[in-house]
Amino acid sequence: MSRLARLAATLEQPLLVTNPVNIRYLAGFSSSNAALLVDPTGETTLFTDFRYAGAARAVAGVTFHQTKRDLVGELGELLAGRTVGFEPGTVTMATHGTLGSHGASLVSVPGAVEALRSIKDDTELSAIRKAASLSDEVYAELAEERFVGRSERQLAWWVERRFRELGAEAVAFSPIVAAGANGALPHATPTDEPIAAGTAIVVDVGCVVDGYRSDCTRTFLTGEPTEGLLARYQLCLQAQLDGLEAVLPGARACDVDAASRVAIAEAGVADAYGHGLGHGVGLDIHEAPTLRYDSTEVLAVGNVVTVEPGLYFVDDVGFRIEDLVIVSADGYERLTLFTKAPVVVG
């Protein structure tokens, strides 16, 4: 069954899909100005303007309707008097007003396409495996690079350039290279400060292959690490291994998150781990399901998720270890295979 047919089978009224990533997922069509109208019967209309008309006519399984550049304004007219679902995550108040300006009755339908996207098919998994494999190559090469004396920003650019040279379409997100106290910021921005010896460096990177993303974090140690640094590293690693072992089809996402917190809580540093364990990855770097204490989601075969506990000691140092995994029938398949043993760099 096609993705459009699977979506149609879940609908109570036509759904106007305006999220560009969801349009690409459903129809294989990329545009800065497009919409899909998917009917519960399976009939689907693709709307876009003259600039994308040639590509739109080649899309299988849809009826193409060419619009003016003001696509939303024209849709408001075309939907007059109809009851139509919309994606609240991508429809602004202004767009909502325009779509309903001719009497359309708009019904919020959150997460319909995202629920389908959370279960990856073989084609998607193949692309994610390739992206993860490139991440492994980059980490193996990075481990041979000099860290001490170079800036975080220089190393982040090295990572981005190397992904491109290895064939990635792009980086999945701005690379994080964060040493010492900067590593205590989960979403740190690389700085021009030289990296010092005797500290930890959080490196969180990923790339894009065929539109799909990888995500992996390793924490490197510079110079001769102290016993205290090694102990904190091992604690973070234990939390990560505990989280991985809890990844099973049918497991509640909140329980997987909880499993990663046991060792850290027993060590008396629970406050240093303040974010969720992980998130789904695919066409977006953050998508369903979410592994977090308040998640109501249940893992299923075909989910692709990160498992990434962290320890963040403010104004001192940070640690994070992250793998990308596929939920499989008997547990999980780990895609990011670069070593998780402590790696000391110069």
Side-chain angles (χ1 to χ4, degrees):
M1 183 182 292
S2 73
R3 293 172 181 175
L4 283 167
R6 287 167 54 210
L7 174 62
T10 70
L11 300 178
E12 297 180 2
Q13 65 273 315
L15 176 64
L16 185 68
V17 180
T18 50
N19 181 336
V21 178
N22 287 345
I23 293 170
R24 174 176 179 165
Y25 172 79
L26 291 169
F29 179 74
S30 297
S31 166
S32 64
N33 193 40
L36 283 172
L37 185 64
V38 184
D39 192 84
T41 65
E43 181 180 347
T44 300
T45 304
L46 170 61
F47 301 91
T48 192
D49 66 67
F50 172 83
R51 296 170 297 163
Y52 304 101
R57 290 190 182 96
V59 176
V62 304
T63 300
F64 169 54
H65 182 105
Q66 184 172 320
T67 68
K68 296 174 290 189
R69 182 69 173 267
D70 180 14
L71 179 145
V72 173
E74 187 165 337
L75 282 174
E77 298 174 8
L78 293 171
L79 298 176
R82 300 182 64 182
T83 298
V84 178
F86 71 94
E87 298 182 297
T90 53
V91 172
T92 65
M93 291 183 67
T95 298
H96 186 278
T98 302
L99 289 173
S101 60
H102 291 271
S105 177
L106 303 176
V107 179
S108 176
V109 182
V113 183
E114 287 79 1
L116 299 181
R117 284 173 49 194
S118 72
I119 307 292
K120 272 59 178 181
D121 61 29
D122 289 343
T123 300
E124 295 176 289
L125 293 177
S126 176
I128 295 170
R129 285 190 178 98
K130 291 176 184 176
S133 178
L134 288 185
S135 294
D136 286 342
E137 288 190 56
V138 166
Y139 273 113
E141 294 183 18
L142 181 62
E144 302 300 320
E145 288 289 310
R146 177 175 56 84
F147 278 62
V148 177
R150 295 171 77 178
S151 72
E152 298 167 342
R153 189 169 291 165
Q154 286 174 322
L155 285 172
W157 172 241
W158 182 94
V159 167
E160 185 162 353
R161 185 180 69 247
R162 196 69 192 107
F163 270 129
R164 293 280 194 168
E165 291 169 347
L166 288 170
E169 296 167 22
V171 289
F173 49 90
S174 295
I176 295 173
V177 178
N182 202 28
L185 305 174
H187 283 180
T189 299
T191 73
D192 288 322
E193 288 295 313
I195 295 172
T199 191
I201 306 97
V202 176
V203 179
D204 187 350
V205 301
C207 68
V208 181
V209 172
D210 296 335
Y212 287 83
R213 298 167 192 264
S214 63
D215 192 0
C216 181
T217 305
R218 294 293 186 264
T219 298
F220 295 91
L221 304 172
T222 58
E224 290 297 326
T226 65
E227 289 299 318
L229 281 175
L230 287 172
R232 287 174 169 181
Y233 183 98
Q234 292 294 345
L235 179 58
C236 186
L237 177 57
Q238 186 60 57
Q240 205 259 350
L241 295 174
D242 291 344
L244 282 173
E245 288 307 305
V247 173
L248 294 164
R252 298 192 305 169
C254 60
D255 291 338
V256 181
D257 175 271
S260 73
R261 299 182 184 276
V262 175
I264 290 174
E266 290 178 348
V269 290
D271 289 346
Y273 176 18
H275 59 64
L277 174 63
H279 54 86
V281 174
L283 288 168
D284 282 325
I285 194 59
H286 291 97
E287 54 183 59
T290 299
L291 307 182
R292 202 170 57 207
Y293 78 94
D294 58 351
S295 174
T296 60
E297 295 167 291
V298 175
L299 295 186
V301 173
N303 288 156
V304 176
V305 296
T306 66
V307 178
E308 50 176 312
L311 288 170
Y312 309 97
F313 301 96
V314 178
D315 296 328
D316 184 10
V317 70
F319 303 82
R320 185 164 65 251
I321 301 171
E322 172 188 22
D323 282 318
L324 187 62
V325 305
I326 303 168
V327 180
S328 61
D330 56 357
Y332 65 91
E333 174 191 346
R334 184 160 70 98
L335 302 182
T336 42
L337 302 178
F338 181 72
T339 183
K340 290 184 286 188
V343 175
V344 178
V345 294

